[in-house]
Amino acid sequence: MESRKKKSTISSKAFANLFNIIEPMKSFQWGKDLGIENLHQGFTHVFDTSFETTEGLEIYLSHPAHVEFANEFLAHLDKVIVMDYKPTAVHP
Amino acid sequence: MESRKKKSTISSKAFANLFNIIEPMKSFQWGKDLGIENLHQGFTHVFDTSFETTEGLEIYLSHPAHVEFANEFLAHLDKVIVMDYKPTAVHP
């Protein structure tokens, strides 16, 4: 448990560090599932990154720092889902 | 495809309408996966809601309007993952 927590913290820091390197990343936040609902399907963490444009996302995806991080990160995950979307914000 | 798109739009509107009813919902945005990466595992849509406190999330979860919507919505989904987390925001 200790080593899993440590690994998770290291991965979060490495992920967050991309924010210092890859200019098109406009925000980065992450967190661990709180276990309030029972619909997590075994997933444990959320990482949420935003970009101003689809081109910015594509620059990020092909950036050497991201490619190196992603290869290392994905190799340590049991499972992963990545969704890229243009958010439609709703206001009351 | 037409009917799936229509159903998706109706569901998004019904989800968004909760924002007008349930006070602790602080933001709501949604979007469809762009298909840029190949890591969506068959999931098609993201719905992202924020709350100021965990208590706000719990009020939302037990609100009759949410319970009614969720029962209807979940019944029409092939699969779903729900993650609740306290975001740690990283700044460059």
Side-chain angles (χ1 to χ4, degrees), chain B residues 14 25 36 40 51 57 71 73-74 80 83:
Chain B
M25 289 178 78
I36 293 175
H40 54 67
F51 303 87
L57 168 62
N71 287 338
F73 190 51
L74 294 177
V80 65
M83 303 284 287

Side-chain angles (χ1 to χ4, degrees), chain A residues 44-88:
Chain A
T44 56
H45 290 73
V46 175
F47 298 93
D48 179 20
T49 303
S50 68
F51 303 87
E52 276 175 16
T53 63
T54 308
E55 291 70 28
L57 168 62
E58 284 163 353
I59 289 167
Y60 162 81
L61 289 175
S62 61
H63 192 291
H66 173 260
V67 172
E68 185 184 345
F69 164 75
N71 287 340
E72 172 81 10
F73 190 50
L74 295 176
H76 285 87
L77 300 179
D78 292 330
K79 53 183 180 175
V80 65
I81 293 174
V82 182
M83 303 285 287
D84 299 308
Y85 67 106
K86 291 186 188 182
T88 298

Side-chain angles (χ1 to χ4, degrees), chain B residues 38-92:
Chain B
N38 193 24
L39 294 166
H40 54 67
Q41 314 289 5
F43 287 89
T44 56
H45 290 73
V46 175
F47 299 93
D48 180 19
T49 303
S50 68
F51 303 87
E52 276 175 14
T53 62
T54 309
E55 290 70 28
L57 168 62
E58 284 163 354
I59 289 167
Y60 162 82
L61 289 175
S62 61
H63 192 291
H66 173 260
V67 172
E68 186 184 346
F69 164 75
N71 287 338
E72 173 81 10
F73 190 51
L74 294 177
H76 286 87
L77 301 179
D78 292 330
K79 53 184 179 175
V80 65
I81 292 174
V82 182
M83 303 284 287
D84 299 308
Y85 67 106
K86 290 187 189 181
T88 298
V90 178
H91 303 283

Side-chain angles (χ1 to χ4, degrees), chain A residues 6-73:
Chain A
K6 194 174 170 190
K7 195 165 77 182
S8 154
T9 306
I10 291 169
S11 295
S12 302
K13 281 190 180 173
F15 205 154
N17 189 48
L18 296 181
F19 202 22
N20 299 314
I21 299 171
I22 306 177
E23 196 277 330
M25 288 178 79
K26 292 304 173 198
S27 72
F28 176 79
Q29 60 181 23
W30 70 281
K32 198 169 177 221
D33 184 62
L34 297 172
I36 293 175
E37 303 180 76
N38 194 23
L39 293 166
H40 54 68
Q41 315 289 5
F43 288 90
T44 56
H45 290 73
V46 175
F47 298 93
D48 179 20
T49 303
S50 68
F51 303 87
E52 276 175 16
T53 63
T54 308
E55 291 70 28
L57 168 62
E58 284 163 353
I59 289 167
Y60 162 81
L61 289 175
S62 61
H63 192 291
H66 173 260
V67 172
E68 185 184 345
F69 164 75
N71 287 340
E72 172 81 10
F73 190 50

